[in-house]
Amino acid sequence: MATGINTLNKTSKTMDELTRQVSSEGSEKTLLLKKAGKIQEKVVGKKVFYRGLIEFSNVCTKDCYYCGIRKSNRNIARYDIDDDAILKAAKFAHENKYGSLVLQSGERNDDKFTERISRLLHGIKKLSNGELGITISLGEQTRETYKEWFNAGAHRYLLRIESSDEELYYKIHPHDKKHNFQTRLNCLYTLKELGYQTGTGVMIGLPFQTYEHLAKDLLFMKELDIDMCGMGPFIEHHDTPLYQYHDRLWPLKRRFEVALNMIASLRLLMPDINIAAATALQAIDPVGRERALQCGANVIMPNITPTINRKNYLLYENKPCTDEGADECTHCLHARIQMAGREVGYGEWGDSKHYFSRRSQKLQ
Ligand code: SAH
Ligand code: SF4
């Protein structure tokens, strides 16, 4: 309808317009995705950047209700990949011109962990002659820890807010000292202040979540003025408390479609940020990530975790590529990205353009 089409061009949008966009179907949805793909090409180009993902440990001190590796899940084998294997994976990323990598794990806040991460960051910088960009996604930490890791070489941080609606946040997390909405928010402010390229995101299709919640999430990201975003469909896991609501979730296909609507809407709202095509998209549709690259996403995170450990990093079920080695994934991915009409920015960091423009505005 005319109103929907006309508002696609504006970057300042109201809740009503965004709600309509994220829930759109049929021709309205087709138009939204197409428009986002065009804006993407115009503002950030056709290039897609690789971040080799190393999920180095599933040990976690938290108990998020949706996550398969939550502390209270006794049905999984815990692992912690040793430093040598992590550095080997980093070497693989460097040799294959991945440009950057992401270190991700469950959340730990002990000194041993903090020091180990610093050591690894220095090690990765050294083995790549400073050429590998490093994103970390290690949960909520103190300002000192974030600073230490920044100084050790990490320059991007991913911390999803999961939902920007406080009420919904507490439906998907325990409400205690270790799971606090305000703390998570404060961490995002701190990361920005320290100079990280800061990324957040949400899950799409959570129990109790509405289209209005998702529209609010988009406005939250705009307001926070983030540099990067990683968001994808929620996929239920048997051994988690949220599983009890599995029969009232949107069908997987709908969660997938709304995730694409969210990516496209965010690209229109924040044209120069980096948006990742989340792995969870691929768990629903074998070419899910490639479809996201055509409607706004410009970052992809090939999994380079040593294969034997992959099966135990099951945040959700049916996680893709848990059997394949990194090499295998690399070759198929290149072809798939080309088929999606995109190019791989080999050896480039592919930093968020938005980060540099907001920093230079601050200096003026
Ligand atoms: N422990 C860190 C990073 C690892 S979890 C943290 O929580 O920030 C990375 C992301 O996986 C989370 O932010 C969450 O959004 C996503 N995730 C967890 N369980 C999921 C599920 N069941 N379906 C989809 N995404 C999930
Ligand atoms: Fe731990 Fe992150 Fe999973 Fe929460 S989402 S239980 S912090 S790994």
Side-chain angles (χ1 to χ4, degrees), residues 344-356:
V344 182
Y346 284 113
E348 293 179 52
W349 279 18
D351 281 326
S352 163
K353 280 191 172 181
H354 186 76
Y355 173 81
F356 297 105

Side-chain angles (χ1 to χ4, degrees), residues 60-64 66-71 105-107 162 173 179 184 313 315:
C60 188
T61 56
K62 290 181 76 175
D63 245 338
C64 308
Y66 43 84
C67 180
I69 66 170
R70 63 198 298 270
K71 182 177 175 229
S105 72
E107 186 174 310
E162 318 294 1
H173 296 96
H179 305 79
R184 200 151 181 98
Y313 199 82
L315 304 169

